[in-house]
Amino acid sequence: LVGRGGGRGASPTHPTVARMTLAATLTPPLRSPWLGALPWLVALAAVWAAASLSPWPALETWPRRQVIPFAAWITAFVKWLLNEAHFGLFTFRELTRAFAAVVEAPYSAVAWLLPAMGWAALTAATAVLGHALGGRRLALLVTGCLLFIAAFGQWASAMTTLASVLIAVPLGALGGLFLGLAGHRWRWFGRAMTPVLDLMQTVPVFAYLVPVLILFGFGPVAAVLATVIYALPPMTRITMLAMARVPSELTDLARMTGCSPRQTTWTVMIPASREALMTGVNQVIMLSLNMVIIASMIGAGGLGFDVLTALRKLDFGAGLEAGFAIVALAVVLDRLSQGMALRVATPGSLRWRPLLIGLAAALALWPLSLAIPALRDWPVEARLTTGPVWDNLVAWINVTFFDQIEAVKSALLINVLIPFKRFLIGLPWAGVALFLAFAGWRAGGWRLGVLCGVLVTLIAAAGLWEPAMTTVYLCGISVLLAVLIGVPVGVLAAEEPALWPPLRLMLDTLQTLPSFVYLMPAVMLFRVGDFTAMVAVVAYAVVPAIRYTVLGLAAVDPRLVEAARAMGSSPMQILRVKLRLAVPELLLGLNQTVMFALSMLVITALVGTRDLGQEVYVALTKADAGRGLVAGLAVAFIAIIASRLMTAAAAGARARLGLAP
């Protein structure tokens, strides 16, 4: 693709060039497609040879006697830490309990303060803050969300969840800020921290809970600490990226004026990066809210515990109402943090005096609520509920369409799911390692090939080959169905702009709902098993498939579309051109769909799957840190392999299409 500058990657600026590009896009290649497929056929033949012709059975199934006991080593190390390790005059157990006590003090204060203020005072204060940060529309939005939480009887649980978030967010943001600054200042530390951050963002959430439960005990403080660990990576990455993007002119000016490195960092670089850093804080808020919900399994309480209790009782109505309360709370926190980021990016735009006066007037409702109980607790007789409606709807579907549901379920299990599962479990680990190493080499070079081969070998060496292949089977089927649903919906939304606003609202709601909510209707309609897990994963993972399809089609250069229209292309031919040019974004969407599916698969262990998620869940119930971490790392290895391969494929697609990286 040659543009005005004459270099590869420049955008087409001349109609003739655009037509030539379209001609190259629409014209089939001159060489046979079999030539491009030949290396892959050779690689598949090597896998078959490793499975059928190898004289060494160990290349097909890793010998049990040679399984490396990673889990036992980790468990023994954790026991040594708790029972024997000393740091000065204190044992490690005493230090962890002391740290938990330090965190518990502010948490207890906030957990008492929020319910004591009452719904009226807190809603009024939040409305004043919203008006100061985003005007009347934001004030009405946050007021409506908080009134929804109070009216549906979720106020007490929401305040417990909010207390955990308010303690976890400052710890996560400050911890990520200091780690990011250290990674920027000491490059070796940043390079060493990158793979650690990759693992932290791909290890399943349940795996975080096992060591935290052992080290800090059961309760809300342990849940807060697990939330902080989970929310650290994005803030750390964004800090390093923001520091690297500070213009060199600013840092040079700071050095010329005699600033020390510390002064340069805190008085020049951080103020120059405040907009990006506030984006990181927003990510910490969202991840903290997500993790606090899941951490209800180790005593966090709040809305997450309500959803988990509803799942155990199969009370879909109660679980959905608690889920929508989580969505409302997430909207409040997200919009307020975005408004704060906008105000921070434009110094002087926030007028503090009227804000403080308004907050003081709103908080005046606090003593008034002590005299009027209805201002502290929403009256029971005025509470709303839609629980019976949702329960009756699921029951009606189950009774009316039971035969049809069972027929579809049985057909897919017998003809698709079970054969595919047996095929993957029967694959030799050595053949899969060689094939993925070859795929990594073709996509991104020898380093990616070695990484893929080593990670597959580690999964087999840990004795987790069968549950890992079960995870791959469920993830593969679910991702395929999510893509088959999401891509056409995304294409329709991209071609019909009027459909995108309501669809985006629905996607935001689906992405904010806790994972547990997806399991309840699936279990009520399909009972437990792999099919139920697949349905829940598809419902959860279809969101990025739709989003990235719309993003990719919207990012196509409109001049190419006009050139295609001028050449007399039909609407289907134009759509074909746009899809071809959107391949990199579609591959990134596929990457995100896989990540969503893997994260949801760990949650579906609650409905009886036999994959790596079940290993993590069993480890959580038995407080076995080694078993949980090893299974979580195996899930992370699968995620890293898929992510690296698809990212490399997206980069290759961009290079072939002449698009900017």
Side-chain angles (χ1 to χ4, degrees), residues 598-629:
L598 285 173
S599 65
M600 185 64 185
L601 274 175
V602 180
I603 308 296
T604 58
L606 298 172
V607 298
T609 57
R610 291 294 180 264
D611 57 350
L612 291 170
Q614 188 65 228
E615 292 287 320
V616 178
Y617 181 66
V618 171
L620 177 61
T621 59
K622 295 182 178 181
D624 188 343
R627 184 175 182 179
L629 284 177

mmCIF file of all heavy atoms in Angstrom, residues 598-629:
data_model
loop_
_atom_site.group_PDB
_atom_site.id
_atom_site.type_symbol
_atom_site.label_atom_id
_atom_site.label_comp_id
_atom_site.label_asym_id
_atom_site.label_seq_id
_atom_site.Cartn_x
_atom_site.Cartn_y
_atom_site.Cartn_z
ATOM 1 N N LEU A 598 -11.898 -18.176 29.106
ATOM 2 C CA LEU A 598 -11.067 -18.851 30.108
ATOM 3 C C LEU A 598 -11.385 -18.356 31.512
ATOM 4 O O LEU A 598 -11.423 -19.150 32.462
ATOM 5 C CB LEU A 598 -9.590 -18.625 29.793
ATOM 6 C CG LEU A 598 -9.019 -19.428 28.618
ATOM 7 C CD1 LEU A 598 -7.600 -18.988 28.317
ATOM 8 C CD2 LEU A 598 -9.061 -20.918 28.917
ATOM 9 N N SER A 599 -11.608 -17.053 31.663
ATOM 10 C CA SER A 599 -11.945 -16.547 32.999
ATOM 11 C C SER A 599 -13.289 -17.075 33.471
ATOM 12 O O SER A 599 -13.470 -17.375 34.661
ATOM 13 C CB SER A 599 -11.953 -15.019 32.986
ATOM 14 O OG SER A 599 -12.986 -14.527 32.146
ATOM 15 N N MET A 600 -14.240 -17.220 32.562
ATOM 16 C CA MET A 600 -15.550 -17.741 32.943
ATOM 17 C C MET A 600 -15.508 -19.246 33.197
ATOM 18 O O MET A 600 -16.261 -19.764 34.032
ATOM 19 C CB MET A 600 -16.560 -17.416 31.840
ATOM 20 C CG MET A 600 -18.000 -17.799 32.180
ATOM 21 S SD MET A 600 -18.629 -16.851 33.587
ATOM 22 C CE MET A 600 -20.224 -17.628 33.821
ATOM 23 N N LEU A 601 -14.631 -19.966 32.508
ATOM 24 C CA LEU A 601 -14.554 -21.410 32.690
ATOM 25 C C LEU A 601 -14.175 -21.780 34.112
ATOM 26 O O LEU A 601 -14.599 -22.825 34.625
ATOM 27 C CB LEU A 601 -13.544 -22.012 31.709
ATOM 28 C CG LEU A 601 -14.079 -22.357 30.323
ATOM 29 C CD1 LEU A 601 -12.960 -22.833 29.424
ATOM 30 C CD2 LEU A 601 -15.164 -23.431 30.419
ATOM 31 N N VAL A 602 -13.358 -20.960 34.763
ATOM 32 C CA VAL A 602 -13.009 -21.240 36.151
ATOM 33 C C VAL A 602 -14.241 -21.107 37.038
ATOM 34 O O VAL A 602 -14.425 -21.888 37.979
ATOM 35 C CB VAL A 602 -11.888 -20.293 36.604
ATOM 36 C CG1 VAL A 602 -11.497 -20.560 38.045
ATOM 37 C CG2 VAL A 602 -10.671 -20.454 35.702
ATOM 38 N N ILE A 603 -15.109 -20.137 36.732
ATOM 39 C CA ILE A 603 -16.336 -19.967 37.510
ATOM 40 C C ILE A 603 -17.277 -21.149 37.286
ATOM 41 O O ILE A 603 -17.980 -21.586 38.200
ATOM 42 C CB ILE A 603 -17.033 -18.644 37.137
ATOM 43 C CG1 ILE A 603 -16.047 -17.483 37.229
ATOM 44 C CG2 ILE A 603 -18.243 -18.396 38.014
ATOM 45 C CD1 ILE A 603 -15.529 -17.204 38.592
ATOM 46 N N THR A 604 -17.302 -21.700 36.069
ATOM 47 C CA THR A 604 -18.224 -22.801 35.772
ATOM 48 C C THR A 604 -17.839 -24.085 36.482
ATOM 49 O O THR A 604 -18.564 -25.076 36.367
ATOM 50 C CB THR A 604 -18.279 -23.057 34.257
ATOM 51 O OG1 THR A 604 -16.963 -23.358 33.769
ATOM 52 C CG2 THR A 604 -18.829 -21.860 33.520
ATOM 53 N N ALA A 605 -16.716 -24.090 37.205
ATOM 54 C CA ALA A 605 -16.415 -25.250 38.043
ATOM 55 C C ALA A 605 -17.518 -25.484 39.072
ATOM 56 O O ALA A 605 -17.699 -26.608 39.555
ATOM 57 C CB ALA A 605 -15.078 -25.047 38.752
ATOM 58 N N LEU A 606 -18.282 -24.435 39.396
ATOM 59 C CA LEU A 606 -19.386 -24.578 40.344
ATOM 60 C C LEU A 606 -20.512 -25.434 39.797
ATOM 61 O O LEU A 606 -21.377 -25.878 40.567
ATOM 62 C CB LEU A 606 -19.931 -23.189 40.717
ATOM 63 C CG LEU A 606 -18.939 -22.247 41.425
ATOM 64 C CD1 LEU A 606 -19.533 -20.860 41.556
ATOM 65 C CD2 LEU A 606 -18.583 -22.799 42.792
ATOM 66 N N VAL A 607 -20.557 -25.675 38.478
ATOM 67 C CA VAL A 607 -21.634 -26.485 37.907
ATOM 68 C C VAL A 607 -21.120 -27.842 37.436
ATOM 69 O O VAL A 607 -21.750 -28.497 36.626
ATOM 70 C CB VAL A 607 -22.337 -25.748 36.743
ATOM 71 C CG1 VAL A 607 -22.975 -24.470 37.249
ATOM 72 C CG2 VAL A 607 -21.373 -25.452 35.604
ATOM 73 N N GLY A 608 -19.964 -28.273 37.933
ATOM 74 C CA GLY A 608 -19.574 -29.661 37.760
ATOM 75 C C GLY A 608 -18.687 -29.995 36.594
ATOM 76 O O GLY A 608 -18.622 -31.166 36.199
ATOM 77 N N THR A 609 -17.966 -29.029 36.014
ATOM 78 C CA THR A 609 -17.023 -29.375 34.950
ATOM 79 C C THR A 609 -15.807 -30.081 35.553
ATOM 80 O O THR A 609 -15.555 -29.997 36.751
ATOM 81 C CB THR A 609 -16.570 -28.119 34.201
ATOM 82 O OG1 THR A 609 -15.995 -27.192 35.135
ATOM 83 C CG2 THR A 609 -17.746 -27.465 33.504
ATOM 84 N N ARG A 610 -15.030 -30.738 34.699
ATOM 85 C CA ARG A 610 -13.863 -31.491 35.159
ATOM 86 C C ARG A 610 -12.594 -30.949 34.501
ATOM 87 O O ARG A 610 -11.754 -31.699 34.064
ATOM 88 C CB ARG A 610 -14.049 -32.979 34.842
ATOM 89 C CG ARG A 610 -15.122 -33.663 35.652
ATOM 90 C CD ARG A 610 -14.738 -33.713 37.139
ATOM 91 N NE ARG A 610 -15.754 -34.378 37.936
ATOM 92 C CZ ARG A 610 -16.705 -33.744 38.599
ATOM 93 N NH1 ARG A 610 -16.778 -32.418 38.530
ATOM 94 N NH2 ARG A 610 -17.588 -34.404 39.319
ATOM 95 N N ASP A 611 -12.490 -29.645 34.445
ATOM 96 C CA ASP A 611 -11.355 -29.018 33.788
ATOM 97 C C ASP A 611 -10.429 -28.419 34.842
ATOM 98 O O ASP A 611 -10.503 -28.751 36.031
ATOM 99 C CB ASP A 611 -11.845 -27.960 32.807
ATOM 100 C CG ASP A 611 -12.716 -26.903 33.496
ATOM 101 O OD1 ASP A 611 -13.068 -27.108 34.667
ATOM 102 O OD2 ASP A 611 -13.029 -25.880 32.854
ATOM 103 N N LEU A 612 -9.543 -27.516 34.418
ATOM 104 C CA LEU A 612 -8.622 -26.881 35.346
ATOM 105 C C LEU A 612 -9.347 -26.001 36.358
ATOM 106 O O LEU A 612 -8.868 -25.825 37.486
ATOM 107 C CB LEU A 612 -7.608 -26.043 34.559
ATOM 108 C CG LEU A 612 -6.607 -26.830 33.718
ATOM 109 C CD1 LEU A 612 -5.822 -25.888 32.810
ATOM 110 C CD2 LEU A 612 -5.661 -27.630 34.594
ATOM 111 N N GLY A 613 -10.475 -25.447 35.973
ATOM 112 C CA GLY A 613 -11.254 -24.665 36.922
ATOM 113 C C GLY A 613 -11.702 -25.485 38.110
ATOM 114 O O GLY A 613 -11.725 -25.004 39.254
ATOM 115 N N GLN A 614 -12.053 -26.738 37.869
ATOM 116 C CA GLN A 614 -12.431 -27.617 38.968
ATOM 117 C C GLN A 614 -11.254 -27.870 39.898
ATOM 118 O O GLN A 614 -11.410 -27.948 41.127
ATOM 119 C CB GLN A 614 -12.952 -28.948 38.414
ATOM 120 C CG GLN A 614 -13.544 -29.874 39.450
ATOM 121 C CD GLN A 614 -14.793 -29.309 40.096
ATOM 122 O OE1 GLN A 614 -14.920 -29.313 41.311
ATOM 123 N NE2 GLN A 614 -15.725 -28.814 39.275
ATOM 124 N N GLU A 615 -10.050 -27.980 39.330
ATOM 125 C CA GLU A 615 -8.856 -28.146 40.160
ATOM 126 C C GLU A 615 -8.660 -26.929 41.076
ATOM 127 O O GLU A 615 -8.348 -27.079 42.265
ATOM 128 C CB GLU A 615 -7.634 -28.331 39.270
ATOM 129 C CG GLU A 615 -7.602 -29.634 38.497
ATOM 130 C CD GLU A 615 -7.296 -30.813 39.395
ATOM 131 O OE1 GLU A 615 -6.448 -30.679 40.290
ATOM 132 O OE2 GLU A 615 -7.923 -31.877 39.207
ATOM 133 N N VAL A 616 -8.855 -25.745 40.527
ATOM 134 C CA VAL A 616 -8.697 -24.530 41.337
ATOM 135 C C VAL A 616 -9.767 -24.465 42.412
ATOM 136 O O VAL A 616 -9.492 -24.117 43.573
ATOM 137 C CB VAL A 616 -8.746 -23.282 40.436
ATOM 138 C CG1 VAL A 616 -8.637 -22.007 41.267
ATOM 139 C CG2 VAL A 616 -7.633 -23.327 39.404
ATOM 140 N N TYR A 617 -10.999 -24.817 42.073
ATOM 141 C CA TYR A 617 -12.098 -24.745 43.035
ATOM 142 C C TYR A 617 -11.912 -25.758 44.162
ATOM 143 O O TYR A 617 -12.131 -25.445 45.342
ATOM 144 C CB TYR A 617 -13.424 -24.984 42.309
ATOM 145 C CG TYR A 617 -14.624 -24.909 43.217
ATOM 146 C CD1 TYR A 617 -14.989 -23.710 43.821
ATOM 147 C CD2 TYR A 617 -15.397 -26.037 43.474
ATOM 148 C CE1 TYR A 617 -16.079 -23.633 44.659
ATOM 149 C CE2 TYR A 617 -16.506 -25.975 44.307
ATOM 150 C CZ TYR A 617 -16.841 -24.771 44.901
ATOM 151 O OH TYR A 617 -17.916 -24.707 45.724
ATOM 152 N N VAL A 618 -11.491 -26.963 43.817
ATOM 153 C CA VAL A 618 -11.236 -27.974 44.847
ATOM 154 C C VAL A 618 -10.104 -27.526 45.759
ATOM 155 O O VAL A 618 -10.154 -27.706 46.985
ATOM 156 C CB VAL A 618 -10.920 -29.334 44.196
ATOM 157 C CG1 VAL A 618 -10.438 -30.337 45.234
ATOM 158 C CG2 VAL A 618 -12.153 -29.880 43.480
ATOM 159 N N ALA A 619 -9.069 -26.928 45.170
ATOM 160 C CA ALA A 619 -7.966 -26.414 45.992
ATOM 161 C C ALA A 619 -8.441 -25.325 46.940
ATOM 162 O O ALA A 619 -7.971 -25.227 48.084
ATOM 163 C CB ALA A 619 -6.856 -25.882 45.083
ATOM 164 N N LEU A 620 -9.392 -24.493 46.503
ATOM 165 C CA LEU A 620 -9.932 -23.452 47.371
ATOM 166 C C LEU A 620 -10.703 -24.060 48.534
ATOM 167 O O LEU A 620 -10.566 -23.618 49.681
ATOM 168 C CB LEU A 620 -10.828 -22.516 46.556
ATOM 169 C CG LEU A 620 -11.537 -21.393 47.327
ATOM 170 C CD1 LEU A 620 -10.518 -20.460 47.972
ATOM 171 C CD2 LEU A 620 -12.454 -20.610 46.400
ATOM 172 N N THR A 621 -11.508 -25.082 48.265
ATOM 173 C CA THR A 621 -12.281 -25.715 49.341
ATOM 174 C C THR A 621 -11.386 -26.442 50.334
ATOM 175 O O THR A 621 -11.729 -26.561 51.513
ATOM 176 C CB THR A 621 -13.298 -26.690 48.744
ATOM 177 O OG1 THR A 621 -12.602 -27.694 47.976
ATOM 178 C CG2 THR A 621 -14.280 -25.971 47.845
ATOM 179 N N LYS A 622 -10.232 -26.934 49.880
ATOM 180 C CA LYS A 622 -9.313 -27.661 50.761
ATOM 181 C C LYS A 622 -8.159 -26.789 51.260
ATOM 182 O O LYS A 622 -7.291 -27.297 51.983
ATOM 183 C CB LYS A 622 -8.738 -28.872 50.022
ATOM 184 C CG LYS A 622 -9.776 -29.923 49.654
ATOM 185 C CD LYS A 622 -9.120 -31.115 48.970
ATOM 186 C CE LYS A 622 -10.143 -32.197 48.651
ATOM 187 N NZ LYS A 622 -9.524 -33.375 47.997
ATOM 188 N N ALA A 623 -8.145 -25.521 50.873
ATOM 189 C CA ALA A 623 -7.054 -24.602 51.245
ATOM 190 C C ALA A 623 -5.702 -25.178 50.859
ATOM 191 O O ALA A 623 -4.740 -25.127 51.622
ATOM 192 C CB ALA A 623 -7.103 -24.277 52.736
ATOM 193 N N ASP A 624 -5.621 -25.733 49.647
ATOM 194 C CA ASP A 624 -4.388 -26.328 49.135
ATOM 195 C C ASP A 624 -3.761 -25.324 48.162
ATOM 196 O O ASP A 624 -4.130 -25.255 46.983
ATOM 197 C CB ASP A 624 -4.694 -27.649 48.431
ATOM 198 C CG ASP A 624 -3.445 -28.419 48.047
ATOM 199 O OD1 ASP A 624 -2.356 -27.809 48.030
ATOM 200 O OD2 ASP A 624 -3.546 -29.621 47.754
ATOM 201 N N ALA A 625 -2.803 -24.547 48.659
ATOM 202 C CA ALA A 625 -2.227 -23.477 47.850
ATOM 203 C C ALA A 625 -1.494 -24.016 46.635
ATOM 204 O O ALA A 625 -1.581 -23.449 45.540
ATOM 205 C CB ALA A 625 -1.280 -22.639 48.706
ATOM 206 N N GLY A 626 -0.766 -25.106 46.799
ATOM 207 C CA GLY A 626 0.000 -25.651 45.681
ATOM 208 C C GLY A 626 -0.876 -26.113 44.549
ATOM 209 O O GLY A 626 -0.637 -25.771 43.381
ATOM 210 N N ARG A 627 -1.902 -26.866 44.871
ATOM 211 C CA ARG A 627 -2.797 -27.377 43.834
ATOM 212 C C ARG A 627 -3.498 -26.234 43.109
ATOM 213 O O ARG A 627 -3.617 -26.238 41.871
ATOM 214 C CB ARG A 627 -3.818 -28.321 44.457
ATOM 215 C CG ARG A 627 -4.747 -29.006 43.469
ATOM 216 C CD ARG A 627 -5.637 -30.000 44.187
ATOM 217 N NE ARG A 627 -6.513 -30.710 43.260
ATOM 218 C CZ ARG A 627 -7.382 -31.658 43.626
ATOM 219 N NH1 ARG A 627 -7.468 -32.007 44.910
ATOM 220 N NH2 ARG A 627 -8.153 -32.251 42.727
ATOM 221 N N GLY A 628 -3.947 -25.250 43.862
ATOM 222 C CA GLY A 628 -4.645 -24.132 43.235
ATOM 223 C C GLY A 628 -3.745 -23.291 42.353
ATOM 224 O O GLY A 628 -4.126 -22.906 41.244
ATOM 225 N N LEU A 629 -2.528 -23.006 42.814
ATOM 226 C CA LEU A 629 -1.626 -22.175 42.018
ATOM 227 C C LEU A 629 -1.147 -22.890 40.765
ATOM 228 O O LEU A 629 -1.039 -22.280 39.695
ATOM 229 C CB LEU A 629 -0.436 -21.749 42.873
ATOM 230 C CG LEU A 629 -0.705 -20.639 43.894
ATOM 231 C CD1 LEU A 629 0.536 -20.366 44.733
ATOM 232 C CD2 LEU A 629 -1.158 -19.364 43.205
#
